[in-house]
Amino acid sequence: RKEVEQDPGPFNVPEGATVAFNCTYSNSASQSFFWYRQDCRKEPKLLMSVYSSGNEDGRFTAQLNRASQYISLLIRDSKLSDSATYLCVVPKGGSQGNLIFGKGTKLSVKP
Amino acid sequence: DAGITQSPRHKVTETGTPVTLRCHQTENHRYMYWYRQDPGHGLRLIHYSYGVKDTDKGEVSDGYSVSRSKTEDFLLTLESATSSQTSVYFCAIKGSSTEAFFGQGTRLTVV
């Protein structure tokens, strides 16, 4: 299994739709996980952190399944402004705690 | 805003020339990172620093060197730029809970 793997998409959805992205990871010892959002030609920005079974922030819900080693991101009531690439991020492990970034899932929300 | 500034933001240079990219942070973070981002590869760690004069290699360190003589500055040097080093370079700092916060990026083209 790759360290972090995501479906690259693109996911093309209409406004108002619910969309879910999955991410699998290989380091079973990882304790914290992150979803980042990256707009075209911009830096990645932290969207959500996931430390236990899941986290919810408004229209966004992140869930963690440790047994199957996957993380999901659910976006409800999609907005045009949600169009971006979503990066799944997992700590590499070890004392330095470096991060491993997935290649990202591209989302395009259409009117 | 994590107080990270990268310079220059854009640079075009010729093959074989040395190039130095600068990352400056204002919040006294111990850990700093240099990543490169390329289509199909996602974000890959070049080098990182865990304190003044303390640096280590990431997964794609060949052809790059770094220096950190002050807490606030982390320099990335391409000793002799090659076309394969054309990329977008992001500096990042480590937040309080392992997450990373990024600078705005430097777009480097080697011709």
Side-chain angles (χ1 to χ4, degrees):
Chain A
R1 173 178 277 183
K2 292 183 179 178
E3 288 185 296
V4 180
E5 195 159 14
Q6 297 181 248
D7 182 341
F11 284 62
N12 297 307
V13 303
E15 269 188 294
T18 295
V19 62
F21 310 134
N22 287 330
C23 168
T24 58
Y25 62 94
S26 62
N27 182 9
S28 60
S30 295
Q31 296 297 312
S32 55
F33 307 86
F34 307 98
W35 283 101
Y36 279 73
R37 172 199 168 119
Q38 186 173 24
D39 294 290
C40 187
R41 302 176 76 84
K42 299 286 189 180
E43 73 274 23
K45 293 186 177 179
L46 181 64
L47 178 66
M48 296 184 76
S49 304
V50 188
Y51 297 106
S52 55
S53 61
N55 190 14
E56 184 172 331
D57 183 5
R59 298 183 294 108
F60 297 84
T61 300
Q63 291 188 316
L64 169 63
N65 184 318
R66 289 189 189 275
S68 301
Q69 293 179 217
Y70 81 80
I71 315 147
S72 64
L73 178 68
L74 182 77
I75 305 175
R76 291 180 296 276
D77 189 22
S78 298
K79 312 291 185 190
L80 296 176
S81 58
D82 293 333
S83 297
T85 297
Y86 291 84
L87 308 177
C88 173
V89 183
V90 179
K92 187 178 179 66
S95 60
Q96 303 297 351
N98 293 339
L99 299 175
I100 303 296
F101 287 79
K103 295 179 182 180
T105 298
K106 187 170 183 179
L107 172 66
S108 181
V109 182
K110 306 290 187 184
Chain B
D1 183 3
I4 306 167
T5 304
Q6 291 185 231
S7 59
R9 295 291 313 282
H10 302 271
K11 187 170 182 66
V12 180
T13 193
E14 293 186 348
T15 299
T17 60
V19 177
T20 294
L21 308 184
R22 179 180 183 240
C23 179
H24 179 78
Q25 56 128 338
T26 59
E27 298 185 1
N28 208 36
H29 293 283
R30 179 183 172 196
Y31 284 83
M32 298 183 74
Y33 306 85
W34 277 107
Y35 292 88
R36 62 177 288 174
Q37 188 174 36
D38 305 286
H41 289 279
L43 280 155
R44 293 181 291 174
L45 183 63
I46 305 171
H47 280 279
Y48 65 98
S49 170
Y50 46 97
V52 173
K53 293 185 169 45
D54 291 323
T55 64
D56 206 349
K57 296 178 179 180
E59 63 177 301
V60 290
S61 59
D62 287 348
Y64 302 95
S65 63
V66 290
S67 66
R68 192 160 177 208
S69 58
K70 298 183 291 184
T71 298
E72 58 266 35
D73 289 325
F74 191 33
L75 305 180
L76 177 71
T77 297
L78 291 65
E79 301 291 347
S80 178
T82 68
S83 58
S84 65
Q85 293 176 312
T86 291
S87 188
V88 180
Y89 292 86
F90 287 104
C91 174
I93 58 92
K94 186 182 200 178
S96 57
S97 301
T98 312
E99 73 276 16
F101 296 96
F102 289 85
Q104 293 176 298
T106 295
R107 204 164 282 274
L108 177 67
T109 302
V110 183
V111 297

